[in-house]
Amino acid sequence: MMASSVFVSSFNGCDGIGRRRFSTSGGKNEASLGLCATRTSSSSSRSSFSGGRRRRFSETTTTKCVLANDKDISNNKTPGKNKKQHTVVMKFGGSSVADAERMREVANIVLSFPEEMPVLVLSAMGKSTNNLLMCGEESLKCENAEDVSLMKPLLFVKTLHAETMDVLNVDKETRREVNELLKKLEQVCMGVCLMQEVTPRTRAMLVSFGERMSTRIFASYLRTRGVNAKQYDAFEIGMVTSDDDIENGRVLPETYANMKKSLTLPDGADPQISVVTGFLGRGENTGAISTLGRGGSDLTATVIGAALALEEVQVWKDVDGVLSADPREIENTIPMPFLSFDEAQELAYFGAQVLHPQAMRPAMDNGSLRVRVKNSYNIRAPGTVIGHIDYNSSNGKSGDEGERMDDWLLTSIVRKKNVTMLDIVSTRMLGQYGFLAEVFAVLQNNGISVDVVATSEVSVSLTLDPAKIWSRDLAQEELEKVQRELEDVGTARVAVSNGHSIISLIGNLERNNEIMERAFKALKEAKVHVKMVSQGASKCNISLLVDDAEGQKAASAIHEEFFGRVGFGKNQHLPGM
């Protein structure tokens, strides 16, 4: 199933956003919306394949999508005309709103679902955030206001937003507001120039301009297309964060009631698309603009979804959902219909581009909210549901997990590169207590994070992730210092080795014997040597450590074993069966 294909098969007759609904009439839809033609065919033997499992279905809905352009939809009314409140949250990242053309495409996507009344959460345009941070750094090098006004990052931000407003023909009030924000941005840079200091509070203020401008421009553009759209700054409608880390603010509980009050439409109000800034909040006591850290826009979306008691938050990307592996390294990857939150967290932790674990917490804490990863280039593909598992149900499945079949085996394979391994051997471990506590105290004192741990009676092996510690590789002298301190913990012998890859197998560990058997069979045939094995405490992850040089070969061999050479098509076989 290719993202660029015009025809997409929807599992079980999913509607445009992947919910279970079956349509048997294409002509009516095509005539009334000018968007999609749906046709139905019957088959008793067709199967869909995913992660070592097979699904049979008797009917297939095939949808031909034609996105509306400005001319097609300029006379349409606001989506959700029969709805009283917002029905879904749609989040679009920076690449989705990178320029005027991409904003047009996002508007087409939103207006292609007339049955929904969405809240839109947007990131800053394209490379705006990086350039805004560079504005702060470059301002330190300036000597006067003229130098500040000529900084390349500042000129980039100004030009991008000015050109986008021109192309999209935004209204005069929006143009005035955005120009005021650009003026204030330059004033903040001038302040940095004079004070010769960029504080965390200043950086949070600088990057906030990106979302504040992108949402204003997009809401105005929707209005030019006949849509009732209103822009909101999240920090003005109740996104309250802790003050202890202004750049990585923790969302406080009162936020949910605040957001519900702000985004709930009054009785009898006209349908409205609400466009909200992602990534931003306001400090509880300081009142300063804060940022939510990595994955902040996704977190904004899930907080709003939980606050409004919605069923679904959609995160729009450029792939058909969460894939079985990294398509940049492995061929014939396929999208996963379903992930549990635990699985998604493991994938994100080990480097997969899913959602940041922090962003999943509001949905995990809300028993009815699920997250769906969708493809902005293939809008009728059902995407991947990240949802709940009801362990108390009779068959172990909730409504969300209904996407996954009983013979499910493996969900995804993810590889983390550039991993350092420590092997610690000490006879002090034998029958003693406190040894591991001393080992981890050394690592804590050196600010080092541990990924994977495996222990025996007299040894412990663990992996370090430099990406979590420094923006560069672990320096040799730093490793030698850690090694010396660990050797001082009793009579420990410590060996340090670099250049490893962690291959994580995310799946159904109730069948871990089968997973391990087949994975090691594939690695044996590929002649890959495994140096360490660890099963995660989450019960959905098995991690294998191999040399970096063999990492891609190892992941490819395991992927072929479970998912096959061809996921769909003429030469398909049953992966994982």
Side-chain angles (χ1 to χ4, degrees):
M1 182 163 60
M2 301 298 293
S4 60
S5 175
V6 174
F7 287 94
V8 183
S9 292
S10 295
F11 294 119
N12 290 337
C14 295
D15 70 7
I17 60 171
R19 295 174 181 166
R20 293 176 179 273
R21 191 178 69 183
F22 196 77
S23 175
T24 59
S25 174
K28 181 177 180 180
N29 289 344
E30 186 173 20
S32 61
L33 301 179
L35 299 173
C36 300
T38 306
R39 69 183 183 186
T40 305
S41 62
S42 296
S43 172
S44 59
S45 60
R46 296 187 63 186
S47 301
S48 64
F49 301 94
S50 179
R53 56 196 182 274
R54 174 178 57 182
R55 170 174 297 161
R56 293 190 178 276
F57 51 92
S58 59
E59 293 182 298
T60 302
T61 300
T62 305
T63 305
K64 181 178 182 179
C65 297
V66 183
L67 286 179
N69 56 32
D70 290 3
K71 183 177 180 181
D72 292 330
I73 205 159
S74 59
N75 294 323
N76 279 22
K77 296 185 181 296
T78 305
K81 63 181 180 179
N82 296 321
K83 306 296 183 182
K84 296 180 179 180
Q85 297 294 336
H86 294 296
T87 58
V88 67
V89 178
M90 296 181 175
K91 181 264 178 179
F92 294 91
S95 62
S96 295
V97 292
D99 53 33
E101 185 57 35
R102 293 295 289 130
M103 283 194 173
R104 279 198 181 107
E105 293 171 3
V106 169
N108 289 339
I109 291 172
V110 172
L111 299 177
S112 295
F113 300 109
E115 71 280 7
E116 300 292 342
M117 192 201 301
V119 176
L120 305 183
V121 175
L122 303 185
S123 297
M125 294 181 66
K127 299 179 181 179
S128 295
T129 299
N130 288 339
N131 276 278
L132 289 167
L133 288 170
M134 289 171 61
C135 282
E137 298 303 319
E138 291 295 316
S139 296
L140 294 172
K141 305 173 185 178
C142 296
E143 296 183 359
N144 52 52
E146 183 179 359
D147 289 347
V148 169
S149 65
L150 294 177
M151 292 188 305
K152 288 183 178 180
L154 181 60
L155 292 175
F156 173 88
V157 173
K158 286 184 174 181
T159 302
L160 173 63
H161 291 83
E163 290 180 349
T164 302
M165 288 191 291
D166 288 341
V167 173
L168 298 181
N169 193 29
V170 302
D171 58 76
K172 291 182 179 180
E173 179 61 21
T174 296
R175 189 179 295 271
R176 185 193 66 77
E177 290 181 5
V178 172
N179 286 335
E180 281 294 320
L181 288 170
L182 289 170
K183 182 179 178 180
K184 188 172 182 179
L185 166 62
E186 188 167 340
Q187 292 172 342
V188 173
C189 292
M190 190 63 211
V192 172
C193 169
L194 293 174
M195 298 300 295
Q196 287 296 292
E197 182 182 28
V198 183
T199 65
R201 187 164 171 172
T202 302
R203 282 194 296 268
M205 169 65 78
L206 283 170
V207 298
S208 76
F209 288 102
E211 278 77 6
R212 292 155 76 184
M213 291 188 290
S214 68
T215 50
R216 282 169 169 80
I217 292 172
F218 190 76
S220 175
Y221 174 59
L222 287 178
R223 291 193 292 270
T224 69
R225 295 179 62 168
V227 174
N228 181 23
K230 185 175 180 180
Q231 187 272 350
Y232 296 90
D233 291 322
F235 55 83
E236 296 287 6
I237 60 172
M239 182 69 77
V240 183
T241 66
S242 56
D243 288 311
D244 51 355
D245 188 349
I246 203 75
E247 293 182 279
N248 192 30
R250 175 171 47 86
V251 177
L252 298 183
E254 57 263 38
T255 293
Y256 294 90
N258 295 341
M259 300 297 269
K260 180 178 181 180
K261 180 179 180 180
S262 298
L263 294 174
T264 298
L265 302 180
D267 291 341
D270 291 333
Q272 169 187 300
I273 290 182
S274 298
V275 185
V276 183
T277 57
F279 187 55
L280 305 179
R282 190 182 292 282
E284 177 186 22
N285 298 313
T286 64
I289 292 177
S290 60
T291 56
L292 305 185
R294 183 181 172 193
S297 291
D298 292 341
L299 176 58
T300 302
T302 53
V303 166
I304 292 173
L308 298 181
L310 302 179
E311 292 183 358
E312 186 164 294
V313 170
Q314 297 175 6
V315 177
W316 289 80
K317 296 180 176 290
D318 57 0
V319 292
D320 279 344
V322 180
L323 302 178
S324 54
D326 187 345
R328 295 170 297 183
E329 293 193 352
I330 297 177
E331 296 179 350
N332 302 313
T333 57
I334 58 176
M336 299 293 101
F338 176 84
L339 289 176
S340 70
F341 285 112
D342 285 341
E343 291 168 333
Q345 282 189 306
E346 292 287 339
L347 285 171
Y349 182 81
F350 285 101
Q353 298 297 314
V354 188
L355 295 177
H356 191 272
Q358 177 181 249
M360 297 182 216
R361 177 52 57 186
M364 294 175 69
D365 293 342
N366 183 306
S368 60
L369 180 62
R370 60 179 175 265
V371 178
R372 189 183 297 270
V373 181
K374 295 274 288 177
N375 187 355
S376 58
Y377 295 99
N378 188 8
I379 69 169
R380 299 292 163 178
T384 297
V385 173
I386 303 174
H388 300 271
I389 297 177
D390 184 1
Y391 293 102
N392 296 319
S393 67
S394 59
N395 61 359
K397 290 185 179 180
S398 68
D400 290 343
E401 205 194 2
E403 294 289 341
R404 184 148 64 188
M405 303 308 290
D406 292 332
D407 56 1
W408 156 64
L409 188 59
L410 202 63
T411 299
S412 192
I413 302 164
V414 60
R415 174 190 176 200
K416 176 177 278 192
K417 309 173 189 175
N418 191 29
V419 173
T420 297
M421 180 172 70
L422 294 181
D423 281 316
I424 305 170
V425 180
S426 175
T427 55
R428 276 194 58 200
M429 287 185 66
L430 189 62
Q432 299 296 316
Y433 61 87
F435 180 81
L436 286 178
E438 294 181 55
V439 168
F440 281 97
V442 170
L443 298 174
Q444 178 185 7
N445 293 337
N446 285 274
I448 294 179
S449 174
V450 175
D451 271 342
V452 177
V453 179
T455 65
S456 71
E457 284 299 322
V458 294
S459 66
V460 56
S461 297
L462 45 86
T463 64
L464 315 179
D465 177 17
K468 288 194 181 65
I469 317 158
W470 297 284
S471 59
R472 53 184 171 78
D473 292 346
L474 287 164
Q476 187 59 38
E477 60 268 22
E478 291 163 330
L479 284 173
E480 290 173 355
K481 177 176 179 292
V482 171
Q483 185 174 0
R484 286 194 303 271
E485 292 181 11
L486 288 172
E487 287 174 344
D488 290 340
V489 180
T491 56
R493 184 173 73 253
V494 182
V496 181
S497 56
N498 301 309
H500 302 292
S501 285
I502 296 174
I503 310 295
S504 292
L505 311 180
I506 313 299
N508 182 5
L509 293 201
E510 291 183 1
R511 300 173 65 182
N512 60 356
N513 288 344
E514 185 178 352
I515 292 174
M516 294 290 284
E517 176 188 3
R518 293 177 59 181
F520 275 94
K521 171 179 172 290
L523 293 174
K524 178 181 178 182
E525 293 175 353
K527 298 181 179 179
V528 174
H529 176 63
V530 177
K531 297 188 172 183
M532 177 178 167
V533 180
S534 178
Q535 179 171 325
S538 67
K539 305 304 181 186
C540 66
N541 170 29
I542 297 173
S543 293
L544 313 173
L545 190 74
V546 301
D547 284 335
D548 260 337
E550 296 183 322
Q552 183 174 354
K553 180 169 66 171
S556 296
I558 295 172
H559 189 274
E560 181 180 333
E561 169 65 25
F562 286 94
F563 297 94
R565 291 183 181 274
V566 181
F568 295 93
K570 181 178 178 180
N571 298 319
Q572 66 190 18
H573 72 276
L574 305 183
M577 297 299 293

